[in-house]
Amino acid sequence: MSGRTDSDTQDGIRTDAIEAHDTDDTDTPDDMPRPEPADADADADGDSGEDEYAGEDARQARWTAAGTGALLTLAGLAAALLRLTGPAPALVPAAYALGAAVCALAALLGSRGRTRRALWLLIAGVMVMAVGDQLD
């Protein structure tokens, strides 16, 4: 139990309080705020203000995941090639190459909109490359 309440619960509590306040027979002005309908901030097109940036945020997340994945892929491949030509054990360039492959998969998933999975794959790919760095 987290102790936090959902926003739906808060709206229900507010609505119940307003209804209880409205049933009183007092002639005081209604100073309690009324809950706004769900589509109160909707534009004439039927789009709500919250959905206005949803497409843009998703597009930014896709580009970020794909770009970061591509950049880490190139860095992993460059490190693998540099370690392959040096006197490092064979496991070191293999770890860099495997990490680069995982980051390439993350870039592919990120470009297709699977940004959460891409993020976790990017983390895993960098961790595999870090293992290669520790072995060096």
Side-chain angles (χ1 to χ4, degrees), residues 3 42 76 117 135:
R117 290 183 181 130
L135 294 174

Side-chain angles (χ1 to χ4, degrees), residues 9-49:
T9 306
Q10 293 293 334
D11 291 338
I13 292 171
R14 186 180 305 139
T15 305
D16 293 342
I18 291 172
E19 289 173 357
H21 182 69
D22 287 344
T23 58
D24 293 342
D25 292 334
T26 60
D27 292 333
T28 61
D30 191 14
D31 58 347
M32 185 172 271
R34 296 208 177 265
E36 297 178 10
D39 59 343
D41 60 345
D43 298 332
D45 299 334
D47 296 327
S48 65

Side-chain angles (χ1 to χ4, degrees), residues 32-99:
M32 185 172 271
R34 296 208 177 265
E36 297 178 10
D39 59 343
D41 60 345
D43 298 332
D45 299 334
D47 296 327
S48 65
E50 189 174 295
D51 294 336
E52 183 177 341
Y53 298 107
E56 184 177 329
D57 289 342
R59 188 178 313 115
Q60 282 181 335
R62 282 195 304 267
W63 277 102
T64 301
T68 305
L71 184 67
L72 287 172
T73 299
L74 290 175
L77 288 176
L81 288 175
L82 285 173
R83 296 295 182 227
L84 191 62
T85 60
L91 192 57
V92 174
Y96 280 119
L98 180 63

